[in-house]
Amino acid sequence: MDMLGVEPEEEEDEDEEEEDEEEDTMDPQLLGAAGGPRSSSGPVEAVRLAPFAAVHSQVVPAGSASYRVIVHVDLDCFYAQVEMISHPELKGKPLGVQQKYLVVTCNYEARKLGVKKLMSVRDAKEKCPQLVLVNGEDLTRYREMSYKVTELLEEFSPVVERLGFDENFVDITQTVEKRLHQLQSDDYSVVAVCGHVYNNQSVNLNDILHVRLLIGSQIAAEMREAIFNQLGLTGCAGVASNKLLSKLVSGTFKPNQQTVLMPESCQDLIGSLDHIKQMPGIGYKTTKRLESLGINSVHDLQIFSPEILEKELGISVAQRIQKLSFGEDNSPVTPSGPPQSFSEEDSFKKCSSEVEAKKKIEELLAKLLNRVCKDGRKPHTIRLIIRRFSSDRHFNRESRQCPIPSHVIQKLGTENERYSYGRIFTRQRDKLGFSTKWKN
């Protein structure tokens, strides 16, 4: 698989954070953190429970970790939903979105019939012969809808961090604070939870942290309702005091539901994970190193010697992941801002000659250029990435890049831009040092 990408020049006085370069791919979803009834998708429903006892006046220090209220929004089978919105006749049918030889996602009708995410197309068809497959290799519509969701969430709070196409973290701490101040002390009795409370934890309105999370659940319900009413998408949400816990708890009840985590249930949630690989923030390589140390469960990590862990992984990594094992995560929600790079990719499976490969690269360049022109910023670097699939089912990755000449940047937006980009690649090909062998 080859990938072409460009990096735009940063605008003056514009705060930009680098976006994950793999955002254009569908990552495997983390397993749900806890069991619970699953209901069918549909319009958002907010559940208001009976009011509780009134809360006494309390103040939580702004520096306290538990002071924050973070929402994790996770859209249901996102690619499939976008396809059903574009093609209403697909609703109610088992639907899978295909990329290369995999079903990268599927709707819940297909899941009921045994189809799973990242299942091979052949296996999916065996499980569900009536499965309708749509080609999902062109990510344009998914990308556009994804940014619409993020923009909508920014109406509730400016602090929104994108996590791939279908997930967002939203820090609503200040929004909760404003709503809290709008209530009179005798109005707290009407504060109620929207959705589920993890582990059926009892809610105490004499605890200001509980009140803040309840208000957070109401805001999360409003977010999901807005996403459904304005964009036609359903999704789940988790409400907690940090990013880690909100992400874990959001998958408790699916699809199209939400769950709030009270502080007392934190360890129950963490303890429900079957393996450390289910812990957000612990990647594949770190997991393998932990397993070599005999650490497989979250409990193993909690009780493991900090000194040995620091020696094996380094102080910062060891301390960070051991804190995660106790549900501690002080990482901020970082507004993503505009992406710092754009990319287009293709498997080149249908290419058997250099001529065909060049033609495919020109097609990718045209798509890439269209996105750059719509963005409005001027790119400064072009990069070519080659990923070769090996026998052990892992990718070997190689990349080269070169600057885009200033005179070409100035021509962006004119009819010559596609031609100019093609000339850049052709002229720089030997300079980049790529040699590709084709198998007939």
Side-chain angles (χ1 to χ4, degrees):
M1 178 182 295
D2 289 12
M3 179 186 297
L4 283 164
V6 294
E7 296 182 354
E9 293 181 326
E10 295 184 5
E11 296 288 348
E12 188 174 351
D13 296 328
E14 186 172 355
D15 182 21
E16 296 179 349
E17 296 292 337
E18 185 169 359
E19 199 168 65
D20 190 313
E21 66 180 359
E22 296 298 332
E23 187 189 57
D24 284 2
T25 63
M26 177 71 74
D27 292 333
Q29 183 179 359
L30 289 170
L31 298 177
R38 305 296 197 252
S39 71
S40 60
S41 59
V44 175
E45 297 182 358
V47 181
R48 293 184 64 84
L49 301 184
F52 304 91
V55 66
H56 299 296
S57 176
Q58 298 182 47
V59 177
V60 179
S64 171
S66 57
Y67 171 85
R68 297 194 299 165
V69 182
I70 310 297
V71 178
H72 176 254
V73 179
D74 186 2
L75 300 171
D76 300 323
C77 52
F78 177 57
Y79 286 16
Q81 279 204 84
V82 174
E83 293 296 341
M84 290 186 289
I85 290 172
S86 300
H87 306 283
E89 68 275 10
L90 296 175
K91 292 182 178 179
K93 299 179 180 180
L95 173 67
V97 179
Q98 179 178 352
Q99 289 180 357
K100 311 304 183 278
Y101 58 89
L102 290 176
V103 176
V104 292
T105 192
C106 57
N107 63 7
Y108 282 89
E109 286 78 5
R111 297 182 192 190
K112 291 175 183 177
L113 297 173
V115 182
K116 298 180 180 179
K117 292 172 59 176
L118 301 179
M119 180 179 279
S120 71
V121 171
R122 183 174 61 182
D123 291 344
K125 276 293 190 180
E126 288 180 357
K127 282 281 186 181
C128 179
Q130 66 270 42
L131 180 68
V132 178
L133 290 172
V134 296
N135 190 312
E137 294 187 13
D138 185 352
L139 302 175
T140 303
R141 287 180 297 119
Y142 310 141
R143 184 183 299 111
E144 290 175 350
M145 183 66 82
S146 173
Y147 276 102
K148 287 181 181 179
V149 172
T150 301
E151 290 171 4
L152 185 55
L153 293 175
E154 288 173 342
E155 296 180 8
F156 291 86
S157 169
V159 191
V160 181
E161 179 179 342
R162 291 169 56 80
L163 190 66
F165 276 5
D166 58 345
E167 298 179 57
N168 288 270
F169 286 113
V170 190
D171 188 332
I172 58 171
T173 305
Q174 294 304 316
T175 309
V176 169
E177 191 70 19
K178 290 178 182 178
R179 294 200 181 185
L180 199 57
H181 286 313
Q182 290 172 357
L183 294 173
Q184 301 296 326
S185 59
D186 56 354
D187 287 336
Y188 289 139
S189 61
V190 301
V191 176
V193 67
C194 288
H196 304 274
V197 178
Y198 182 80
N199 215 23
N200 291 319
Q201 169 71 40
S202 60
V203 176
N204 178 16
L205 286 188
N206 290 312
D207 188 333
I208 191 63
L209 297 180
H210 283 213
V211 175
R212 297 178 67 84
L213 290 167
L214 294 184
I215 295 175
S217 75
Q218 295 173 351
I219 297 171
E222 293 169 14
M223 290 177 178
R224 293 172 52 241
E225 185 175 18
I227 292 172
F228 179 76
N229 291 338
Q230 297 185 37
L231 301 176
L233 297 168
T234 64
C236 297
V239 184
S241 60
N242 63 45
K243 292 166 65 175
L244 168 70
L245 297 176
S246 66
K247 182 174 175 65
L248 286 175
V249 81
S250 67
T252 307
F253 294 91
K254 301 179 73 172
N256 192 31
Q257 300 181 66
Q258 66 179 60
T259 311
V260 59
L261 178 71
M262 296 302 168
E264 294 82 359
S265 297
C266 170
Q267 292 308 310
D268 291 333
L269 174 62
I270 294 294
S272 70
L273 301 181
D274 296 324
H275 196 279
I276 53 171
K277 65 184 179 182
Q278 295 175 247
M279 179 75 73
I282 300 182
Y284 175 80
K285 291 183 179 179
T286 302
T287 296
K288 290 300 181 183
R289 295 185 68 179
L290 291 175
E291 288 176 338
S292 69
L293 296 173
I295 301 174
N296 295 288
S297 69
V298 174
H299 179 68
D300 292 339
L301 181 55
Q302 288 176 340
I303 64 175
F304 197 79
S305 166
E307 292 78 13
I308 298 177
L309 199 63
E310 290 173 5
K311 182 179 179 181
E312 293 291 331
L313 302 178
I315 296 176
S316 61
V317 173
Q319 292 181 351
R320 179 181 64 83
I321 65 173
Q322 206 150 36
K323 285 182 178 179
L324 290 178
S325 72
F326 288 99
E328 299 177 25
D329 177 19
N330 294 325
S331 63
V333 176
T334 305
S336 301
Q340 287 194 334
S341 64
F342 294 128
S343 66
E344 293 287 344
E345 64 179 75
D346 194 271
S347 66
F348 284 66
K349 282 187 175 181
K350 297 181 179 180
C351 298
S352 58
S353 68
E354 186 173 343
V355 173
E356 292 175 341
K358 286 180 179 179
K359 183 178 179 181
K360 175 58 68 175
I361 289 172
E362 288 179 2
E363 294 174 2
L364 294 177
L365 282 167
K367 292 181 180 179
L368 197 60
L369 181 60
N370 183 51
R371 293 173 60 193
V372 171
C373 291
K374 286 182 178 180
D375 179 79
R377 289 172 292 165
K378 303 299 183 182
H380 59 78
T381 303
I382 185 166
R383 177 185 301 140
L384 179 64
I385 300 173
I386 295 179
R387 289 186 291 190
R388 294 184 175 88
F389 192 65
S390 60
S391 58
D392 61 355
R393 301 188 67 82
H394 285 86
F395 287 105
N396 295 320
R397 187 171 178 143
E398 181 183 358
S399 67
R400 298 287 189 276
Q401 68 181 44
C402 70
I404 300 175
S406 57
H407 71 277
V408 174
I409 295 177
Q410 293 172 0
K411 291 181 180 179
L412 285 176
T414 71
E415 60 183 8
N416 296 322
E417 63 250 7
R418 178 177 175 179
Y419 173 72
S420 299
Y421 263 116
R423 291 186 55 159
I424 292 172
F425 182 81
T426 302
R427 290 179 177 179
Q428 299 293 334
R429 183 178 54 201
D430 295 334
K431 179 180 177 181
L432 292 174
F434 275 110
S435 60
T436 306
K437 296 180 180 179
W438 300 93
K439 292 183 179 179
N440 296 322

